[in-house]
Amino acid sequence: MGSGGDRRSAGGGCSADVVCEKHLFKSKVSESLVQLAWSHPRCAFPLDRNELCIWNTETPLRLSGHHYSISAVSFGHKTNPLLVCSASRERVIVWNLDECTQKVQEGLTPRGTVVGTLLGMVLHVRFSLDDQQVAVCAGNRIYILSAKTEAILTELHGHLAPVTAAEFCTWEKTMLISVSEDRTFKARKFFMFSVRRLLLLLLLFLQLWIFSLISDHNYRCVTHINLKKEQEKFCNKVWKSGKEIGSTVIIFPILFLLGHDGALNSVGWSHDKKWLVSASEDRTLRVWSVCNNEPALILGKEKFHETVRFAQFYFIDAFILLCCGAEFHLLSFHSSHLFVCLFVYLYAFVPLDQFNFNTVNCTDIVLTAGRNRALEVFDLNAGCSTAVIPEVHTRSVHQICQNKGSSFSTQQPEAYNLFMTTAAGDGIKLWDLRTLKCERRFEGHHSCCYPCGIAVSPCGRFIASGSDDKCAYIYEMHSSSFSHKLGGHTESVINVAFSPSSPQVSLFFPFCN
């Protein structure tokens, strides 16, 4: 790093229309075009790619915390405290400059707060007007993050190409304007509320009231449920009858599970339908009994170095599989009524750049997929990777769907070797686990704005897919074109599911403002 003095015109004077170079900073490596930040009298910019430099008239402040090149920087709006946000493809960090300066004066290394991880290539970041949230433009999505802790408050879709800039409206704090390389701009309102506080209010007297939000209905109460009585009824059915309940929908909204302080990433049922495992942006994993509002077990931040993106019960509830950053873990699970014991890292973690995985509940094979667009096969008996398929799709795989069958139907054993992958804008591919080759490609549905889900029917003959065009599509396994198009929906269909015992499919939609 170096600095130079003022540079003026050859005539000795400095006219008003001539830009003067006041200081010069030289990086050891060439820097790409990135978003820089200025807040009088400070400016912020990346130095040597992964170091953040805060310059003012005093000694520059150099902050380290990123492992990859910083691509976007932004100052907060308030001066007390003055915040700055820096982003790279592996993490988003918020720095309190007063605290950082004090640490440097004490001879300590300043640390920022990691508010987001592994969001992808970030082109732009912007604080909200009250500095409580940060809008992060990564790919064709906008993530609204908490500026105080690692939590994705909401996620905005709609652009078909990378979002290059976003700005909060000064007259409406819940409105965001964004521009994209798809040559469009969007102005959208978003909602952020504390589900935890809302549910605590509803559960104060163990009563749930449901109101109509349509203004013409005068927000009247549609119905209300005595949660305590309904919960007792459900528990009696599960624990006393000893029979498995066919439908899991009965639990909601009978039982609310409170405890996570961040957005939920995944929720999974145990094989016996008596336990739930949940993973959240608060970097905790929780195991719940369906008859108790409190978690039976909590694995906290000290166990996971990054957010757990996905977790599920495995091998008839003997284990829990989870995906954490670039690793997946296998945990031993034992339950006896309300007693739960987990032994972490039964298998050593495997370094991968993975974010999604899936597995049949009674096999030793785990399929993983991540942002490197590769699919990798792991043998848990051997504790190692057995095969890698590079470039599975042109974009990152957002779902792996296996033919798991159903207790209500039978299939040929060979059918369970088939699995599907899907990626936004790149259709659905059918793979054979024995050959690791793509056997067929299914196209016709639209999946660009949302990562639309897919499902295989219990009989193994059909594939269902969501779509951006407000329809769902049904494909026959032996045909590349769709056989049925299910319309009449008011919004994009983001997920689908088949009934295990009858020829029905359920559709799910995004929350729309």
Side-chain angles (χ1 to χ4, degrees):
M1 180 181 69
S3 63
D6 296 356
R7 298 187 181 179
R8 302 180 182 275
S9 60
C14 183
S15 60
D17 58 347
V18 176
V19 177
C20 298
E21 183 183 280
K22 302 295 293 184
H23 291 274
L24 174 65
F25 287 85
K26 293 183 179 179
S27 176
K28 296 178 182 178
V29 294
S30 60
E31 299 288 355
S32 60
L33 295 176
V34 298
Q35 176 196 1
L36 307 179
W38 178 82
S39 178
H40 185 75
R42 298 175 177 87
C43 60
F45 51 89
L47 190 65
D48 300 331
R49 290 186 179 172
N50 61 351
E51 190 175 41
L52 179 63
C53 181
I54 310 296
W55 178 88
N56 56 20
T57 56
E58 302 173 356
T59 303
L61 182 62
R62 302 176 68 163
L63 305 174
S64 299
H66 291 279
H67 300 296
Y68 293 88
S69 299
I70 297 173
S71 56
V73 182
S74 178
F75 278 105
H77 297 276
K78 296 185 177 181
T79 57
N80 186 22
L82 180 59
L83 304 178
V84 64
C85 178
S86 58
S88 59
R89 67 183 178 92
E90 99 285 1
R91 61 181 56 179
V92 180
I93 303 178
V94 171
W95 310 83
N96 185 319
L97 295 188
D98 294 336
E99 293 180 357
C100 292
T101 301
Q102 183 178 354
K103 291 290 186 182
V104 171
Q105 293 173 351
E106 296 172 355
L108 302 175
T109 302
R111 299 294 183 189
T113 301
V114 177
V115 299
T117 56
L118 302 168
L119 299 180
M121 182 61 184
V122 178
L123 297 182
H124 192 88
V125 294
R126 184 66 69 194
F127 278 95
S128 61
L129 300 180
D130 57 4
D131 290 353
Q132 296 298 306
Q133 296 89 33
V134 179
V136 178
C137 304
N140 59 355
R141 303 181 184 181
I142 304 174
Y143 299 91
I144 307 297
L145 309 180
S146 168
K148 296 181 179 180
T149 184
E150 185 176 354
I152 298 178
L153 303 178
T154 189
E155 189 175 325
L156 303 179
H157 305 261
H159 285 294
L160 303 180
V163 183
T164 55
E167 193 73 54
F168 289 89
C169 290
T170 57
W171 64 90
E172 178 57 66
K173 64 179 182 180
T174 60
M175 180 174 288
L176 190 74
I177 299 176
S178 59
V179 295
S180 166
E181 290 181 359
D182 62 9
R183 296 184 294 178
T184 66
F185 77 89
K186 296 181 181 291
R188 289 172 287 187
K189 294 191 68 175
F190 57 92
F191 295 95
M192 294 180 299
F193 55 89
S194 173
V195 176
R196 182 181 176 87
R197 292 180 181 177
L198 176 62
L199 297 182
L200 284 174
L201 177 64
L202 293 174
L203 293 172
L204 186 59
F205 299 103
L206 290 178
Q207 298 281 334
L208 173 65
W209 284 268
I210 301 176
F211 295 86
S212 171
L213 297 181
I214 302 175
S215 58
D216 293 341
H217 293 176
N218 297 318
Y219 307 100
R220 67 174 180 266
C221 179
V222 178
T223 186
H224 78 277
I225 301 172
N226 187 315
L227 298 178
K228 185 176 181 179
K229 291 183 178 179
E230 295 296 334
Q231 182 176 344
E232 290 174 352
K233 291 179 183 178
F234 176 76
C235 290
N236 288 335
K237 290 181 180 180
V238 175
W239 299 108
K240 294 183 179 180
S241 68
K243 297 179 180 179
E244 181 176 337
I245 296 177
S247 174
T248 58
V249 179
I250 189 173
I251 293 182
F252 301 102
I254 294 174
L255 180 65
F256 291 105
L257 306 179
L258 307 176
H260 284 295
D261 294 322
L264 285 175
N265 290 326
S266 73
V267 178
W269 281 102
S270 62
H271 183 71
D272 60 10
K273 301 298 186 293
K274 294 181 179 180
W275 302 92
L276 281 167
V277 60
S278 61
S280 167
E281 290 290 334
D282 62 10
R283 283 174 54 193
T284 65
L285 182 80
R286 298 170 187 250
V287 178
W288 314 77
S289 165
V290 296
C291 290
N292 197 335
N293 289 349
E294 298 297 326
L297 182 106
I298 302 175
L299 295 181
K301 298 180 180 180
E302 70 279 359
K303 298 293 184 182
F304 307 111
H305 64 287
E306 293 185 23
T307 300
V308 177
R309 298 293 179 187
F310 187 81
Q312 71 175 47
F313 286 93
Y314 168 66
F315 208 83
I316 316 178
D317 304 339
F319 303 95
I320 291 178
L321 270 172
L322 63 90
C323 192
C324 177
E327 307 165 358
F328 77 80
H329 300 178
L330 178 65
L331 316 180
S332 177
F333 175 79
H334 173 72
S335 63
S336 177
H337 297 291
L338 292 180
F339 172 75
V340 182
C341 180
L342 276 80
F343 299 94
V344 185
Y345 309 137
L346 182 65
Y347 285 92
F349 62 83
V350 184
L352 300 168
D353 184 21
Q354 310 298 329
F355 284 79
N356 299 303
F357 70 92
N358 204 350
T359 178
V360 175
N361 199 33
C362 56
T363 68
D364 300 322
I365 299 298
V366 172
L367 306 177
T368 64
R371 293 185 180 177
N372 59 355
R373 301 198 300 275
L375 185 139
E376 194 156 2
V377 182
F378 286 87
D379 185 342
L380 295 189
N381 278 329
C384 64
S385 171
T386 59
V388 178
I389 308 177
E391 303 294 332
V392 176
H393 286 273
T394 57
R395 295 186 181 180
S396 300
V397 175
H398 65 252
Q399 185 183 352
I400 303 172
C401 181
Q402 291 180 261
N403 182 12
K404 300 182 181 181
S406 169
S407 58
F408 299 94
S409 63
T410 58
Q411 301 183 40
Q412 294 296 324
E414 295 79 9
Y416 296 105
N417 290 307
L418 301 177
F419 66 94
M420 275 65 61
T421 60
T422 181
D426 198 33
I428 304 169
K429 290 185 178 181
L430 174 68
W431 303 83
D432 192 319
L433 191 59
R434 296 163 295 185
T435 62
L436 296 179
K437 293 183 178 180
C438 178
E439 302 293 336
R440 188 167 288 105
R441 187 185 182 100
F442 303 94
E443 294 180 313
H445 64 285
H446 303 270
S447 178
C448 295
C449 299
Y450 293 96
C452 299
I454 58 177
V456 182
S457 64
C459 62
R461 294 176 50 199
F462 303 98
I463 299 173
S465 173
S467 180
D468 289 340
D469 61 355
K470 305 178 182 179
C471 296
Y473 290 77
I474 305 295
Y475 296 89
E476 291 191 17
M477 189 71 76
H478 301 293
S479 176
S480 297
S481 59
F482 63 87
S483 58
H484 295 85
K485 181 178 180 181
L486 309 179
H489 312 295
T490 58
E491 298 295 341
S492 299
V493 181
I494 61 172
N495 215 340
V496 293
F498 282 98
S499 168
S501 58
S502 60
Q504 296 177 341
V505 61
S506 299
L507 311 177
F508 303 88
F509 314 95
F511 176 81
C512 298
N513 302 327

